[in-house]
């Protein structure tokens, strides 16, 4: 086989290719309407979804999609707006206003196609009456630092918004809304992707308040007062305004992991998938994966060498300091510590959208020599982990993985090769 890094990159590329927007959207095109076709969308992969839709849609269309800065794509009829992620900004606020305006005044003969992918929560700031953009930014920052799972985060987000939690689809009524969703949510509930602007879920104000308490979040008093009031209640799935709408999951972590496993087998390496929905504190999940890899390397169980161990899902990071990093690099630093000194283990952990945290890397590589190489470079791996500074640690040894924006987002890919 090729060298381990090249092999692991090929696995990542296979996972991303399985979520290619043009291929997946073509298989989920809705019937043409009597009236207009309006495309709306939000997320880190939604601009590429819009470009793909233009290629495969045989008919007139116009629309508006918001994506992260640097994640745009060339479209002829659908306007692409870029805004901030993971912390919202004024451009996202304006995008939310324009998306709501875009779907108002439609008729039952019209069709709205919603292109939704992960990242849409931050890209669609739209504070409820009485709240401000600063309030929504404070909520987002508290959520990102809390260690709460993504489902809990998005239940809270939708209760401080006028666009999330199905409200964008409700604004389009009586037009039919067909949502094409790329899932980055463990369990693939489309109502939780991007906080479900076009797909309502059953999460209640009480659920949001319970999560705020459980994770010790400190939110502005104005936000807490709003969530505690009936005005924050989101539309329910049984609301008649959603009758006749359709939701299609076009790509997910599970499908991408299967594609990654198939690519490994094509190259002569057996592959096993632990799960496509792993959640939990990134460093703890990293430690568990390291224990599995050690067991395979030293005892040839529970899987026989050589083998590629795959997993997906979305871990969380509870911020203890202000270092640089993301959940994948933090996972991998804990993993590297756990396999320190062992030969024959190589790993890549990366976000399939191409960005892990706030820097320009998708993740990083690690092997049994990583911690020793960091030490030689003057970096204490355990101190870096304690300070949420995994990016700095991997940067010091040249092991960051920087593929650039991929145009899709099916959450994290963890690939561990035991030779």
């Amino acid at each position: 086989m090729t060298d381990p890094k090249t092999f692991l990159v090929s696995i990542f590329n296979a996972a991303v290719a399985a979520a290619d927007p043009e291929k997946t959207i073509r298989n989920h095109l809705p019937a043409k309407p009597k009236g207009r076709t309006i495309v709306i969308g939000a997320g880190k992969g939604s601009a590429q979804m819009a470009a793909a839709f233009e290629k495969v849609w045989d008919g007139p269309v116009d629309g508006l999609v918001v994506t992260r800065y640097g994640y745009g794509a060339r479209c002829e009829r659908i306007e692409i707006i870029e805004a901030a992620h993971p912390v919202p900004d004024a451009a996202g606020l304006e995008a939310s206003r324009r998306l709501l305006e875009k779907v108002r005044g439609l008729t039952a003969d019209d069709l709205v196609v919603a292109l939704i992918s992960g990242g849409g929560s931050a890209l669609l700031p739209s504070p409820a009456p009485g709240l401000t953009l600063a309030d929504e930014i404070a909520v987002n920052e508290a959520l990102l630092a809390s260690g709460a799972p993504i489902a809990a985060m998005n239940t809270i987000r939708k209760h401080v918004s006028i666009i999330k939690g199905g409200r964008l689809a409700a604004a389009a009524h009586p037009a039919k809304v067909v949502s094409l969703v790329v899932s980055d949510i463990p369990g693939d509930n489309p109502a939780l992707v991007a906080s479900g602007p076009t797909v309502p879920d059953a999460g209640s104000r009480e659920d949001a308040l319970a999560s705020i308490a459980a994770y010790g979040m400190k939110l502005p008093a104005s936000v807490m007062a709003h969530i505690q009031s009936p005005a924050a209640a989101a539309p329910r799935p049984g609301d008649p305004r959603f009758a006749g709408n359709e939701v299609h999951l076009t790509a997910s972590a599970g499908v991408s992991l299967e594609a990654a496993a198939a690519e490994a087998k094509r190259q002569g390496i057996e592959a096993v998938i632990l799960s496509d929905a792993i959640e939990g504190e990134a460093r703890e999940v990293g430690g568990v994966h390291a224990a599995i890899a050690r067991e395979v390397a030293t005892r040839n169980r529970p899987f026989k060498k050589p083998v590629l161990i795959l997993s997906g899902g979305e871990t969380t990071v509870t911020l203890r300091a202000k270092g640089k990093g993301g959940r994948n690099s933090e996972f991998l630093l804990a993993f590297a510590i756990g396999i320190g000194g062992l030969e024959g283990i190589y790993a890549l952990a990366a976000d399939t959208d191409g960005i892990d945290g706030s820097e320009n890397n998708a993740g990083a590589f690690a092997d049994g020599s990583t911690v020793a190489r960091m030490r030689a470079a003057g970096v204490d791996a355990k101190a870096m982990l304690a300070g949420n500074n995994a990016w700095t640690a991997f940067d010091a040894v040249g092991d960051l993985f920087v593929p650039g924006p991929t145009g899709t987002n099916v959450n994290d890919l963890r690939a561990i090769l035991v030779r």
Side-chain angles (χ1 to χ4, degrees):
M1 61 175 292
T2 56
D3 72 278
K5 277 189 178 180
T6 301
F7 171 75
L8 291 170
V9 171
S10 74
I11 297 303
F12 176 85
N13 290 339
V16 169
D20 176 72
E22 187 169 339
K23 177 169 52 176
T24 57
I25 284 177
R26 187 184 299 275
N27 296 331
H28 295 90
L29 290 177
K32 290 188 181 122
K34 294 180 182 178
R36 302 169 60 198
T37 299
I38 305 294
V39 170
I40 57 174
K44 288 184 278 186
S46 293
Q48 286 76 12
M49 294 172 76
F53 187 86
E54 281 193 347
K55 288 182 181 179
V56 300
W57 183 253
D58 181 20
V61 63
D62 71 279
L64 178 70
V65 166
V66 58
T67 192
R68 177 179 172 149
Y69 290 122
Y71 279 50
R74 184 181 297 277
C75 291
E76 296 179 0
R77 293 166 287 172
I78 301 169
E79 182 182 357
I80 306 297
I81 296 178
E82 296 184 2
H85 180 281
V87 179
D89 69 355
L93 186 67
E94 175 64 8
S96 294
R97 184 194 68 78
R98 290 189 58 197
L99 281 169
L100 284 166
E101 186 64 30
K102 195 79 176 174
V103 301
R104 289 196 175 106
L106 299 178
T107 73
D109 289 333
D110 298 322
L111 170 68
V112 175
V113 179
L115 307 175
I116 306 298
S117 61
S121 295
L123 294 166
L124 291 177
S126 47
L131 302 180
T132 65
L133 177 60
D135 288 327
E136 197 155 348
I137 290 173
V139 169
N140 217 53
E141 290 176 337
L143 292 174
L144 292 173
S146 69
I150 190 65
M153 288 190 195
N154 288 354
T155 297
I156 295 167
R157 284 169 168 146
K158 77 171 190 175
H159 285 98
V160 296
S161 172
I162 60 171
I163 199 169
K164 301 179 177 83
R167 293 178 178 89
L168 183 56
H173 182 75
K176 179 175 182 175
V177 179
V178 175
S179 298
L180 305 182
V181 181
V182 174
S183 173
D184 67 337
I185 298 291
D188 293 333
N189 181 354
L192 295 177
V193 179
S195 302
T198 58
V199 186
D201 83 298
S204 65
R205 289 190 301 115
E206 290 74 21
D207 294 329
L209 291 167
S211 292
I212 292 168
Y215 292 93
M217 299 178 199
K218 304 298 183 185
L219 303 183
S222 55
V223 171
M224 292 301 299
H226 177 74
I227 297 177
Q228 289 166 346
S229 73
R236 308 295 287 180
D239 190 309
R241 290 174 294 179
F242 304 124
N245 289 356
E246 296 178 12
V247 181
H248 301 279
L249 196 66
T250 65
S252 68
V255 171
S256 286
L257 285 172
E258 292 287 355
E263 175 60 21
K265 291 175 183 177
R266 189 189 70 79
Q267 296 190 46
I269 302 293
E270 285 301 312
V272 295
I273 298 173
L274 298 182
S275 170
D276 66 357
I278 291 177
E279 297 181 274
E281 192 71 23
R283 62 183 64 190
E284 295 173 3
V285 176
V288 171
H289 280 63
I292 295 171
R294 284 199 314 269
E295 192 75 7
V296 174
T298 60
R299 298 185 179 182
N300 217 31
R301 68 182 191 194
F303 314 116
K304 293 188 180 299
K305 298 177 288 187
V307 66
L308 180 70
I309 303 168
L310 296 165
S311 73
E314 182 170 6
T315 60
T316 52
V317 173
T318 301
L319 292 179
R320 299 162 173 85
K322 293 186 177 180
K324 290 183 178 181
R327 60 182 184 264
N328 285 285
S329 55
E330 180 139 332
F331 161 92
L332 202 63
L333 186 54
F335 178 88
I337 293 169
I339 64 162
L342 279 176
E343 295 183 355
I345 302 176
Y346 307 87
L348 168 64
D351 195 320
T352 53
D353 67 16
I355 294 294
D356 181 42
S358 58
E359 305 306 315
N360 68 341
N361 64 307
F365 298 95
D367 59 41
S369 71
T370 296
V371 172
R373 288 187 288 114
M374 287 178 177
R375 188 182 306 114
V379 171
D380 183 326
K382 290 184 178 179
M384 291 291 105
L385 183 61
N388 298 122
N389 211 5
W391 183 93
T392 302
F394 285 110
D395 183 54
V397 293
D399 275 344
L400 294 173
F401 176 49
V402 188
T406 64
T408 191
N409 183 10
V410 289
N411 227 314
D412 301 334
L413 173 74
R414 295 175 285 271
I416 302 164
L417 172 65
V418 185
R419 299 185 79 168

